[in-house]
Amino acid sequence: LNGFSRLNLIIDAMGGDFAPDEIIKGAIEGCSLYGAELTLVGDKEIIKNCSEKNNFSLDEARIINSTDTVFMDDSPSDVLKYKKNSPVYLASEYASKIENSAFLSAGNTGAAMACALFNMRKIEGVFRPAIAIVIPLGSRKFVLIDGGANTEVKPVYLQQFAIMGKVYCREILKVKDPRIGLLNIGSEEKKGNEITRESYKLLKETKINFVGNVEGRDIFEGAADVVVCDGFTGNILLKAIEGMAGFFFGEIKKVFLSNFITKVSSLILKKYFKSMKKQFDYEEYGGALLLGINGIAIISHGSSGAKAIKNAVRVARDSVNNNLISKISSEIKG
Amino acid sequence: LNGFSRLNLIIDAMGGDFAPDEIIKGAIEGCSLYGAELTLVGDKEIIKNCSEKNNFSLDEARIINSTDTVFMDDSPSDVLKYKKNSPVYLASEYASKIENSAFLSAGNTGAAMACALFNMRKIEGVFRPAIAIVIPLGSRKFVLIDGGANTEVKPVYLQQFAIMGKVYCREILKVKDPRIGLLNIGSEEKKGNEITRESYKLLKETKINFVGNVEGRDIFEGAADVVVCDGFTGNILLKAIEGMAGFFFGEIKKVFLSNFITKVSSLILKKYFKSMKKQFDYEEYGGALLLGINGIAIISHGSSGAKAIKNAVRVARDSVNNNLISKISSEIKG
């Protein structure tokens, strides 16, 4: 194990559009590939039936049985209050108790965040955990933080998002001295709203490589390695990027299907567009990290397939191996 | 003139990356095509020299001479205070004084908005004017309001944005009973921040075809004809769409240039992609309308070419012919 500690992956096996099949498949593959111990949390019967049906080997996996079911429209507070026997609650609780663990869920995002926060707690000194998500852009990428955890923010929150995003980008994406940009509607310091103006001042004085304001356009031109914003704007942006990518690839398909000639040409170009499409694949990074939590908590996309989960295991392993949490902790303390 | 009043187009001839050449060219073409009277505001010498050089005929145009120059980084309030002899100030002032007029600028957006508001005033009862911009999406489109005029909003502002967007969409884009969506980070009523939650309640009770919250993803799937949001989020979204479109078409180009085979295929597909690209062309609508101003005020993109300006004249003519301002006024009064 190259001197590293073995990761303990604790996964909500029932969360996600393609649970449990794709979740369990990805978890088994990922843990085998990245040398991690697997704990599946969910309805034991369902997990066993699913594994038999798919010929998954559960020999190396621990199963924690759950009796409550979390639905996509359950409110996070209801899950915390009334569904303490749900996979998402039990998985985050278990993750908080053992070493070198990571909690992973592709289910109800709000519930996963609430359970992670409640059971795993915050890193000391962190005001608000935030969602850090890697946006792949062809040969480039950037980290967006906050992707949706905090709809209301203060400048000091954004300052911490910048610090946590920096550590994540440096330790996991291996970018030396990441360039941090503040998402705003103009490049000048005084642009934007009260929050961004105050945040700009704070970020200038923070120990980060602050490149100033970045606009919606700039982020696609590689203006920053880490893009800092409130969770409302970040979530709108995140989903817009996803929606627009889907829309574009749909339009390209339409072009290909125009007539006989375009269909023939498309046969030749297909593999090139396929590899282009792959460069926008959010599954490459497996999910978003909830930074600021005192442990590794990964929130995967609801539509995650086995590949996303497998890659999330890689991110979890890298986070544990690089002591992400203790590095964030010491940078937050300053 | 089909019983309609003749439009008086009053244009800041010096504003925009390609001013004055492209601005004057587009204005002359548009006014000729759409039967409008043209007033060019700018440095008389420069306008005359530019027109001679390009063989533009100024026979039908009025020229108002300006002596101040507005730069892209001039603050709006400074322009109002110290540059009353600038093209943008004089054009909006003149537009406020004559009938059936439209003010158009592709220069400093903040200055254009401030001058329009100061000289042309608001429609009675309007709290805040907002930028309404048509986002073309292949065969579909939607109106985004606010695209950047108001970085801080109240729910009652968003309510008025919805009403103004509805009238614009109905009168200019000819959509019957436009579907109005509130840009938010979840579909449920209680999602989002305080502003969106309160706005949702208000919009439910407003005389509009309210379809509820729409997410960043939904707007690319035709979820609404009018997307209502604060100007901060709207501007981030607007520029992200622009940046992402540019990025995507760049990636397609890269695919085409991969090797000999793809180059040959691209020759066949080129025209199809060109027509696809055209469907995303913001120049089709010429610019954004500043709704809530007591007159037609069009803010064109800084990089507008003659085509955008020509199309902006069409939008201005349609706005005058359809009595856009009086219709907004009566709907705002309720």
Side-chain angles (χ1 to χ4, degrees), chain A residues 72-91:
Chain A
M72 286 312 281
D73 56 354
D74 278 343
S75 86
S77 56
D78 280 357
V79 173
L80 282 183
K81 265 188 246 167
Y82 310 117
K83 298 192 169 179
K84 287 185 196 274
N85 269 307
S86 61
V88 64
Y89 188 98
L90 293 170

Side-chain angles (χ1 to χ4, degrees), chain A residues 152 194 215 239 259 272, chain B residues 152 194 215 239 259 272:
Chain A
E152 321 263 3
E194 221 183 295
E215 296 187 64
K239 287 175 181 162
N259 56 44
Y272 296 94
Chain B
E152 321 264 3
E194 221 184 295
E215 295 188 63
K239 287 175 181 161
N259 57 43
Y272 296 95

Side-chain angles (χ1 to χ4, degrees), chain A residues 54-68:
Chain A
N54 291 289
N55 266 322
F56 297 151
S57 162
L58 293 180
D59 296 348
E60 312 253 329
R62 181 187 291 109
I63 299 175
I64 295 178
N65 189 47
S66 64
T67 51
D68 291 333

Side-chain angles (χ1 to χ4, degrees), chain B residues 38-101:
Chain B
L38 173 60
T39 301
L40 297 164
V41 188
D43 184 306
K44 215 163 195 165
E45 279 307 300
I46 294 177
I47 291 174
K48 287 209 164 148
N49 289 340
C50 162
S51 299
E52 269 170 32
K53 189 185 75 186
N54 290 288
N55 265 324
F56 297 151
S57 162
L58 293 180
D59 297 348
E60 312 252 329
R62 181 186 291 110
I63 299 175
I64 294 177
N65 190 47
S66 64
T67 50
D68 292 334
T69 303
V70 169
F71 300 102
M72 288 312 281
D73 56 355
D74 279 342
S75 86
S77 55
D78 281 356
V79 173
L80 282 184
K81 264 188 248 168
Y82 309 117
K83 297 193 170 177
K84 287 187 198 271
N85 268 308
S86 61
V88 64
Y89 188 98
L90 293 171
S92 54
E93 189 185 44
Y94 188 60
S96 72
K97 288 181 179 160
I98 58 171
E99 289 290 298
N100 303 315
S101 65

Side-chain angles (χ1 to χ4, degrees), chain A residues 151-152 185 193-194 215-217 220 235 239-242 244 247 259 261-262 265 268-269 272 280, chain B residues 151-152 184-185 193-194 215-217 220 235 239-242 244 247 259 261-262 265 268-269 272 280:
Chain A
T151 56
E152 321 263 3
I185 62 169
N193 53 30
E194 221 183 295
E215 296 187 64
R217 205 185 295 123
F220 296 97
N235 195 265
K239 287 175 181 162
I241 291 172
E242 196 186 326
M244 192 144 174
F247 179 78
N259 56 44
I261 290 286
T262 59
S265 307
I268 297 164
L269 291 172
Y272 296 94
F280 293 91
Chain B
T151 55
E152 321 264 3
N184 206 337
I185 62 170
N193 53 30
E194 221 184 295
E215 295 188 63
R217 206 185 293 122
F220 297 97
N235 195 264
K239 287 175 181 161
I241 292 172
E242 196 186 326
M244 194 145 171
F247 179 77
N259 57 43
I261 291 286
T262 59
S265 307
I268 297 163
L269 291 172
Y272 296 95
F280 293 91

